[in-house]
Amino acid sequence: MMTRKALLALALPLSFSTAFARVQMIPIEDQIIKEANVHKPLVLKNAKGTLMEKFLSTTPENWFNLSPSMGVEGVRTEEAYGAFGLPVSDDVIVAVIDSGVDVNHEDLQDKIWINKGEIPNNGIDDDGNGYVDDVFGWNFIGGEKGMAKIVKDDSLANGIRLIKGANEHQIDGDSLEVTRELVRMKKLKVKVEELGEELTPAQAAYLAKLQKEVGDAVDNAKAVVATYKKHLENYKKLEATLLAAGVKEITVENVRALQTEDLFVLAAKNEMLSLLSRNLGLARINRVLGAYQDRLDFMYNESFDPRSIVGDNENDQREKVYGNNDVIGPDSFHGTHVAGSIAANRDNTIGVKGVATRVKIMAIRAVPNGDERDKDVANSIRYAVDNGASIINMSFGKAYSPYKRVVDEAVKYAESKGVLLVHAAGNDSKNNDLIPSYPTPIIRADGSEVNNWLEICATSFKKGATLPATFTNYGKKTVDFCAPGVDILSTIPDNGYGLASGTSMATPTTSGVAALVLSHNPGLKAEEMINLLHDTSRRYPQLMVNIPGSTNPVLFGKLSRSGSIVDAFEAVKSAK
């Protein structure tokens, strides 16, 4: 018999265009879909690369918390609790910088950080941290007219409920950084030419690179939209024929069961079965159309700029006080999923189990459906540090970082305060040693590397050639180790539960392990935590695996610094 959470996972739609909030990783630019190869499967990702559909057909439920002795490559969470019991320390605060977190979720109750220094709804910065009514955290991509209300609600263990601000005063979609850079360079070219000068050769080459990248992406999106509009038109025609012939609902079973001698209806039956066998049902066709239309409408749209919603000074990269207190936002799928992997209540009988138990999630909204801006990332890190976070989860990334200096300064600030930063490596099947995914722990000004940063790749549940997720980025010099990131079941908005895959999912598993270890040994510094997790991670030095994105063999140990998977059992054992 299926459990409630399994049933919920099956029942809830995993929609690309509306259910997710972005993050983690950069869109795949080189997957040109043409009419000639429409039979090639299209792997549906969100704006940043997180996979929004079930990736494997046999993934065990809750596998990321389980152990190799049970046949899965989880992090041994349950084994750790069984052997070492519950920690007795104060709660560890983990900041989740993301698309938003549904702080009202049933399975996150008593797991959400609440700012005790703030009096809700009085319009005053009671604790003097610069942010008004920041009860659950802060939203750096909303305007002051979009403030949330905090109301008493005894039905929630937290005792209070966040009532979201108006969506029109929150940024949902935004352009990608490559698009914004293209706009910036085009403006620079105009200014230079007005002075009778020309761009330097390096600037001209950079502009040409940006133009090609955006142009190719737009062409790709247009091709996909055109192809799937034809699929939709065809589907509708076939559907009308089959419904008229007596099929009550379009499913594989119902269509296959249709008996007819009408050659026209028989042809429609066979063509519909062909569509469904290629995962081209109505829901998925609409998801793909929505996803790629988003790329045309705002991600690669040079004319799209929603920043006026926020009302900050875009040219002032060190401006700190702007935004609002609506930490849920228009689409908190991604951030809520991340939060659940870290902290979903382990003591109730509903939903899922997070990795950590003595933990509070600080919700910080900075990641739109598109690319996060450097200024917002920097301010989010500083907010987390200043308000007591010990760990910051960063399940996001992008290909360009024009104002990396302000992010570097915030990262160095976190380092000075001993705060651990856990970042997703990306979902492009690429080597981060060769092509970085920002932000990075390398300080641009001097090339030094901070000592409070973990970069995480993703693994699937089964030991073997496919242990590394096919989509994961990797890097022997730049990625620390892997964690479970395929078909992870976690919390999603409105008391839901759903699957997602990506290094976005591997990262909170690691943050959860770090929080669990810290709750057993609160004295650990960030650098000590990193060394401990490296030393206790699970290694397979002789295991040959597929290089992500190909079937070429490589030693698993070559894909990251430690060539391993984070292991909660060994980490807690070592920390005690």
Side-chain angles (χ1 to χ4, degrees):
M1 181 177 178
M2 297 189 77
T3 64
R4 176 171 179 260
K5 55 189 172 185
L7 289 169
L8 284 166
L10 291 173
L12 287 164
L14 302 181
S15 168
F16 172 110
S17 59
T18 60
F20 176 79
R22 25 253 95 193
V23 80
Q24 204 4 51
M25 305 57 136
I26 303 104
I28 296 197
E29 315 284 356
D30 57 355
Q31 188 180 5
I32 307 295
I33 306 293
K34 296 182 178 178
E35 192 67 34
N37 68 341
V38 293
H39 295 283
K40 181 179 179 180
L42 186 152
V43 178
L44 187 58
K45 301 183 180 183
N46 78 307
K48 309 305 290 301
T50 299
L51 286 81
M52 296 306 299
E53 298 174 304
K54 189 169 175 62
F55 200 73
L56 302 172
S57 60
T58 57
T59 314
E61 189 176 307
N62 191 42
W63 76 269
F64 67 99
N65 280 319
L66 304 182
S67 304
S69 61
M70 305 175 74
V72 293
E73 292 298 323
V75 300
R76 303 175 72 191
T77 311
E78 309 303 344
E79 196 175 347
Y81 281 107
F84 307 115
L86 295 173
V88 294
S89 70
D90 293 337
D91 288 330
V92 176
I93 299 173
V94 179
V96 171
I97 302 174
D98 217 292
S99 64
V101 175
D102 183 359
V103 294
N104 302 323
H105 196 287
E106 62 180 5
D107 215 8
L108 294 174
Q109 292 307 297
D110 200 35
K111 300 300 177 182
I112 299 295
W113 173 78
I114 295 176
N115 184 357
K116 299 297 185 182
E118 201 70 26
I119 300 172
N121 307 321
N122 67 355
I124 298 172
D125 177 20
D126 300 290
D127 61 358
N129 70 352
Y131 302 94
V132 173
D133 291 340
D134 57 325
V135 175
F136 294 109
W138 196 249
N139 172 18
F140 286 99
I141 51 174
E144 61 180 358
K145 292 182 179 179
M147 292 287 286
K149 295 292 184 183
I150 313 297
V151 299
K152 184 178 179 181
D153 189 337
D154 292 334
S155 71
L156 300 179
N158 291 338
I160 53 177
R161 177 181 294 274
L162 184 145
I163 306 299
K164 297 197 300 180
N167 278 348
E168 61 263 31
H169 299 301
Q170 325 293 343
I171 288 181
D172 186 6
D174 203 347
S175 55
L176 299 183
E177 198 69 74
V178 63
T179 309
R180 298 194 288 261
E181 277 293 271
L182 176 58
V183 171
R184 183 178 71 85
M185 289 303 297
K186 282 185 174 181
K187 289 180 179 179
L188 177 62
K189 184 174 185 292
V190 170
K191 289 181 180 179
V192 167
E193 290 176 347
E194 286 175 349
L195 297 173
E197 302 290 340
E198 294 182 350
L199 294 176
T200 67
Q203 289 171 331
Y206 183 52
L207 174 57
K209 176 179 182 292
L210 296 170
Q211 288 174 319
K212 184 179 187 309
E213 187 170 339
V214 172
D216 288 349
V218 169
D219 289 344
N220 174 40
K222 286 179 177 178
V224 173
V225 169
T227 295
Y228 275 75
K229 280 184 176 179
K230 290 180 180 179
H231 286 324
L232 180 61
E233 181 182 4
N234 189 33
Y235 182 98
K236 289 292 188 180
K237 289 179 180 178
L238 297 174
E239 180 185 49
T241 299
L242 294 172
L243 292 179
V247 176
K248 292 183 178 180
E249 181 184 0
I250 302 298
T251 66
V252 172
E253 293 77 13
N254 289 349
V255 175
R256 187 176 289 140
L258 175 65
Q259 300 296 317
T260 180
E261 296 182 359
D262 186 315
L263 294 180
F264 181 76
V265 175
L266 183 61
K269 170 184 174 178
N270 291 334
E271 192 168 353
M272 178 62 81
L273 288 173
S274 175
L275 283 178
L276 297 178
S277 71
R278 289 182 279 138
N279 197 18
L280 291 172
L282 182 61
R284 190 170 195 277
I285 290 172
N286 284 327
R287 285 203 300 270
V288 172
L289 279 173
Y292 281 83
Q293 192 61 52
D294 284 351
R295 298 186 181 202
L296 296 174
D297 289 345
F298 53 87
M299 294 177 196
Y300 294 104
N301 184 349
E302 296 175 48
S303 301
F304 184 78
D305 185 0
R307 196 65 187 190
S308 61
I309 291 173
V310 177
D312 62 325
N313 180 357
E314 291 187 61
N315 296 319
D316 184 359
Q317 295 298 312
R318 288 182 169 77
E319 180 183 12
K320 292 183 172 58
V321 181
Y322 58 90
N324 63 46
N325 67 343
D326 182 355
V327 297
I328 298 179
D331 184 357
S332 61
F333 180 104
H334 189 271
T336 304
H337 197 283
V338 165
S341 293
I342 299 168
N345 196 318
R346 298 183 59 85
D347 300 323
N348 58 24
T349 58
I350 60 174
V352 295
K353 292 182 178 181
V355 175
T357 182
R358 295 306 303 265
V359 63
K360 299 290 187 185
I361 298 295
M362 178 188 294
I364 305 176
R365 185 168 182 265
V367 184
N369 190 7
D371 274 348
E372 59 283 349
R373 299 187 184 225
D374 291 333
K375 173 181 179 178
D376 300 332
V377 172
N379 283 329
S380 295
I381 293 171
R382 289 182 179 276
Y383 179 93
V385 173
D386 288 342
N387 288 280
S390 298
I391 301 166
I392 301 176
N393 189 93
M394 302 191 299
S395 289
F396 54 82
K398 58 183 180 178
Y400 295 86
S401 184
Y403 304 103
K404 190 176 187 298
R405 174 182 286 186
V406 296
V407 180
D408 287 348
E409 290 171 355
V411 169
K412 290 289 290 182
Y413 180 63
E415 180 186 42
S416 73
K417 301 296 184 179
V419 177
L420 176 66
L421 306 180
V422 189
H423 182 247
N427 298 335
D428 298 317
S429 308
K430 72 178 178 66
N431 188 340
N432 284 1
D433 293 351
L434 305 177
I435 306 173
S437 177
Y438 297 103
T440 71
I442 305 301
I443 303 303
R444 182 170 287 176
D446 59 12
S448 63
E449 183 172 359
V450 294
N451 62 16
N452 63 328
W453 187 288
L454 283 173
E455 191 82 4
I456 308 302
C457 52
T459 46
S460 63
F461 78 96
K462 191 173 182 179
K463 182 181 176 183
T466 59
L467 179 60
T470 60
F471 52 77
T472 189
N473 290 358
Y474 55 94
K476 185 61 179 174
K477 297 178 181 178
T478 52
V479 176
D480 288 278
F481 45 73
C482 291
V486 174
D487 291 344
I488 304 300
L489 180 63
S490 188
T491 48
I492 62 176
D494 301 321
N495 293 336
Y497 304 87
L499 295 168
S501 297
T503 54
S504 278
M505 285 63 248
T507 301
T509 300
T510 304
S511 294
V513 171
L516 176 60
V517 171
L518 197 58
S519 64
H520 279 283
N521 188 343
L524 281 175
K525 298 177 181 178
E527 187 174 12
E528 293 171 331
M529 175 70 75
I530 289 171
N531 291 333
L532 184 149
L533 294 180
H534 269 281
D535 292 344
T536 60
S537 58
R538 191 162 65 251
R539 288 165 169 77
Y540 294 116
Q542 302 305 315
L543 179 64
M544 296 299 296
V545 298
N546 295 336
I547 295 177
S550 78
T551 56
N552 295 329
V554 67
L555 285 170
F556 182 63
K558 299 290 187 180
L559 298 180
S560 63
R561 283 171 169 167
S562 63
S564 59
I565 300 171
V566 67
D567 191 308
F569 177 88
E570 294 296 339
V572 172
K573 178 181 176 181
S574 179
K576 289 182 71 68

